[in-house]
Amino acid sequence: MTQRSAVSRSASSRIVRALVVLTCLAVVGLVLWQMLPKSTFSSDLSQTGQGTPALVMLREIHVMGGERTLAQMQTIYPEFQDQLLFLLVHTGHPDGVAFADTHRVSDGSVVLLDGSGNAIAVMGRPDSAEALRDFISANVTL
């Protein structure tokens, strides 16, 4: 009996250990999934300077927080989609690194570009979709 109980304890401890490891891996996977750049908007900066003003957001791939700005952009997008390009650049790409350096911006910051591709205004992470809307309205005549 004691040998059987030792074997069953050993088997059950291996099962518990495997379940704990799998749970930890699942949690780490979910966290990493949340940190992946969201590709809601184009990241093609060559679209700027073509006559349409643009709102460009910088997303740093190793920083949390910019997802709030992205959600705010998604909120106001339907209202401005016909008059303004919405772009999202990532620091995981050389264009994003160059954009961050040129405009001295960090994760969640937005830059308004005029139709010629020149920077009009820069804003750090907006507090709300309303603040982002006001920023656009105050700096671009649409």
Side-chain angles (χ1 to χ4, degrees), residues 1 11-12 14 24 26 28 33 41 49 56 63 71 88 108 123 140-141:
M1 276 300 243
S12 65
R14 277 187 259 151
C24 290
V28 168
W33 179 262
F41 300 110
V56 183
V63 178
L88 176 66
M123 178 185 207
V140 179
T141 305

Side-chain angles (χ1 to χ4, degrees), residues 7-8 28 38 59 77 82 87 99 108 115 119 138:
V7 170
S8 68
V28 168
K38 308 243 184 320
R59 185 74 173 101
Y77 176 74
D82 295 330
L87 301 172
F99 185 85

Side-chain angles (χ1 to χ4, degrees), residues 73-87:
M73 285 175 63
Q74 290 170 331
T75 299
I76 66 167
Y77 176 74
E79 178 178 343
F80 293 102
Q81 68 182 356
D82 295 330
Q83 305 116 14
L84 192 67
L85 288 172
F86 281 71
L87 301 172

Side-chain angles (χ1 to χ4, degrees), residues 32-40 59 61 70 88 90 92:
L32 291 175
W33 179 262
Q34 289 297 317
M35 291 179 68
L36 285 174
K38 308 243 184 320
S39 59
T40 315
R59 185 74 173 101
I61 57 174
L70 184 57
L88 176 66
H90 304 276

Side-chain angles (χ1 to χ4, degrees), residues 41-116:
F41 300 110
S42 173
S43 62
D44 183 9
L45 290 174
S46 70
Q47 296 178 58
T48 62
Q50 306 282 326
T52 304
L55 178 72
V56 183
M57 180 196 147
L58 179 75
R59 185 74 173 101
E60 291 188 37
I61 57 174
H62 300 295
V63 178
M64 305 250 333
E67 68 275 356
R68 284 185 29 214
T69 303
L70 184 57
Q72 293 161 357
M73 285 175 63
Q74 290 170 331
T75 299
I76 66 167
Y77 176 74
E79 178 178 343
F80 293 102
Q81 68 182 356
D82 295 330
Q83 305 116 14
L84 192 67
L85 288 172
F86 281 71
L87 301 172
L88 176 66
V89 294
H90 304 276
T91 58
H93 190 275
D95 289 345
V97 173
F99 185 85
D101 290 343
T102 300
H103 299 286
R104 293 186 174 104
V105 291
S106 60
D107 184 58
S109 297
V110 292
V111 179
L112 268 173
L113 304 175
D114 64 14
S116 300

